[in-house]
Amino acid sequence: DNNLVGTVPSDYSSFSALASLVLKNNGLTGYLHSEFFDQIDPDFKIFDVRNNSLSGTIPTSIGRLKNVESLLLGFNNFRGTLPSEIGDLASLREFDVWGTELNGTIPTNVGRLGNITYLDLAASFWGWIPSELAQLSSLTELYLDNNYNLFGEIPSEIYSMTQLQRLQLQDNNLIGSISTSIGQLTNLVDFRVSRNGMTGTIPSELSELSQLRLVWLHTNEFAGDVPTGLCSLRETSLEFLQADCFPIDDPPNPCRCCTACCDRSFELCKEDEYD
């Protein structure tokens, strides 16, 4: 946040004991040089370059950061694919590439990040959601939204991630239904699957998630009513609930307690402040 401009230098060899580097919210350009990660101290913990104008590819030498805990690269112009070496970062707790120009599929060896708690892969990938993500036993926040070419069904293994608090899957091209196994995610606070092509009924097991505060179901092809149990949650924890309950005279998903009713034909919601 210092209005810095210029490029990230490739030579940090003089910083032999550098433990963290935070350069977020500046005007930096240029590339992440492979040499930088070759020279960095083995005990390096934090690398945060969010909200700059960095470009180029993410070098495979990033896999040398064996002890890094926070790797935050979002809102830059990185291109290419995410190196599979990311899976070597066993100490990683936070990883963010939201809003970059990365493409390709999500590497399956992301499932090796056993200590990660925050994973933001939004707006960067295509292909299937890898079932290996379910191996992330410490993960509490998973963001896969706005990957418009992320398709297929939600892997059944995802519903075993009982530690999850936030699961954001909106604005993709997902199909299939929400499994009744959603009731296993008892710590879930935020659940979003809006603007996909999902079908089936909305499972009543959602009502068993007593900590839910926000649920977005709108702009899908769900059939039937929004479960009345969710209305009971509106009296306790649930603050925001959106579904395709418009037009009022013939709603695809009747709902007597939604905070916003959406029209799937026009992808519009009655109360835009919640959308």
Side-chain angles (χ1 to χ4, degrees):
D1 300 305
N2 294 305
N3 297 315
L4 297 174
V5 295
T7 62
V8 177
S10 61
D11 186 3
Y12 271 87
S13 58
S14 59
F15 294 84
S16 59
L18 188 68
S20 65
L21 184 62
V22 179
L23 297 170
K24 65 179 179 178
N25 301 328
N26 285 293
L28 298 175
T29 59
Y31 309 110
L32 294 182
H33 298 275
S34 178
E35 294 82 0
F36 170 76
F37 298 109
D38 289 334
Q39 298 166 0
I40 209 69
D41 187 273
D43 291 325
F44 190 75
K45 300 292 186 185
I46 301 171
F47 187 61
D48 185 354
V49 292
R50 287 172 295 175
N51 297 307
N52 281 283
S53 296
L54 298 172
S55 56
T57 60
I58 299 174
T60 58
S61 57
I62 205 166
R64 291 176 50 85
L65 303 181
K66 302 299 185 184
N67 294 305
V68 72
E69 296 179 356
S70 295
L71 185 57
L72 307 173
L73 309 175
F75 286 100
N76 280 287
N77 301 318
F78 298 122
R79 55 181 172 78
T81 59
L82 185 63
S84 61
E85 286 79 4
I86 288 295
D88 297 334
L89 307 182
S91 298
L92 196 61
R93 295 181 179 275
E94 299 178 294
F95 183 55
D96 173 15
V97 288
W98 182 29
T100 64
E101 296 180 15
L102 292 175
N103 54 53
T105 58
I106 300 171
T108 58
N109 62 358
V110 169
R112 294 162 51 190
L113 301 175
N115 289 308
I116 201 163
T117 61
Y118 176 96
L119 182 59
D120 194 336
L121 302 177
S124 298
F125 298 95
W126 57 270
W128 306 86
I129 299 175
S131 60
E132 287 82 358
L133 290 177
Q135 299 171 18
L136 305 178
S137 59
S138 298
L139 191 66
T140 59
E141 299 184 50
L142 177 57
Y143 301 92
L144 297 174
D145 52 287
N146 289 279
N147 290 300
Y148 296 101
N149 290 312
L150 197 65
F151 49 78
E153 299 187 14
I154 300 173
S156 59
E157 293 86 351
I158 296 295
Y159 298 107
S160 68
M161 301 177 71
T162 57
Q163 75 285 354
L164 273 181
Q165 297 176 12
R166 299 184 185 278
L167 179 57
Q168 295 195 8
L169 302 172
Q170 73 271 22
D171 293 284
N172 289 305
N173 198 20
L174 300 178
I175 59 172
S177 59
I178 301 173
S179 170
T180 56
S181 297
I182 190 75
Q184 298 175 176
L185 303 184
T186 54
N187 290 302
L188 206 59
V189 173
D190 182 340
F191 179 60
R192 310 185 194 197
V193 291
S194 53
R195 299 190 186 93
N196 280 287
M198 301 189 71
T199 56
T201 58
I202 300 167
S204 60
E205 286 78 5
L206 271 172
S207 307
E208 299 171 8
L209 307 182
S210 61
Q211 298 189 56
L212 276 177
R213 295 186 59 193
L214 184 149
V215 176
W216 283 1
L217 303 167
H218 57 284
T219 320
N220 279 289
E221 298 297 325
F222 294 127
D225 293 11
V226 173
T228 56
L230 282 175
C231 292
S232 297
L233 287 184
R234 287 280 294 123
E235 300 173 5
T236 54
S237 63
L238 188 58
E239 296 181 40
F240 306 112
L241 174 60
Q242 294 189 182
D244 292 333
C245 45
F246 194 86
I248 300 299
D249 56 347
D250 187 24
N253 305 130
C255 180
R256 63 178 177 82
C257 62
C258 284
T259 55
C261 279
C262 306
D263 187 333
R264 66 173 56 155
S265 299
F266 298 99
E267 298 190 8
L268 294 173
C269 296
K270 184 177 180 182
E271 295 184 28
D272 291 338
E273 66 265 29
Y274 296 127
D275 190 60

